[in-house]
Amino acid sequence: MKMSTVVRSTTKMISPFLVTYAAYIMLYGHLSPGGGFQGGVILAVAVILLITSHGYKKVRKRFKFNWASLIESSAGAMLVLLGIAGIAFGAFYSNFLPTEGGVIVPFNVIVGLEVGAAFTFVFYILLRWVESD
């Protein structure tokens, strides 16, 4: 089903703001409500909005299925590495960074990428299943 021009144009305008808002929530999650999970969900919503308004085949050319899988798995590996790096400083996920928020900021960004890629990955899988029907 093809969406109207209004829906497609609005989605194209809103999606960059959603990505920016997701980045803001991930980066300032240690100072205000929000964090990696919430930012990741908003990040996935931006991609899912584009898929539903422009169609799976058109969006799939820009946001490849394999990229979502690669980002999701590499973010999981980075979470483990961040925790192991903390062991060198005394404890698992030890706060070893001398910056404001310490290790929480990279943790939130990595969780945001993990969650955003995972939700996008699940949506791709559901669409493949629907297409095969």
Side-chain angles (χ1 to χ4, degrees), residues 7-68:
V7 172
R8 286 184 280 151
S9 300
T10 305
T11 304
K12 265 187 179 177
M13 288 188 306
I14 288 176
S15 290
F17 291 110
L18 284 174
V19 171
T20 305
Y21 186 57
Y24 169 78
I25 286 180
M26 284 188 260
L27 291 174
Y28 290 99
H30 65 291
L31 298 175
S32 62
F37 189 85
Q38 292 85 356
V41 169
I42 293 172
L43 194 63
V45 165
V47 177
I48 291 170
L49 269 177
L50 286 173
I51 292 170
T52 54
S53 65
H54 292 276
Y56 174 63
K57 290 180 181 174
K58 188 173 181 181
V59 175
R60 185 177 57 184
K61 291 177 185 172
R62 289 200 177 227
F63 300 103
K64 305 257 186 220
F65 180 79
N66 291 338
W67 291 2

Side-chain angles (χ1 to χ4, degrees), residues 63-96:
F63 300 103
K64 305 257 186 220
F65 180 79
N66 291 338
W67 291 2
S69 174
L70 180 69
I71 291 172
E72 197 266 337
S73 52
S74 60
M78 285 190 291
L79 277 176
V80 171
L81 290 176
L82 188 65
I84 289 173
I87 290 176
F89 292 93
F92 195 63
Y93 282 113
S94 174
N95 192 5
F96 59 87

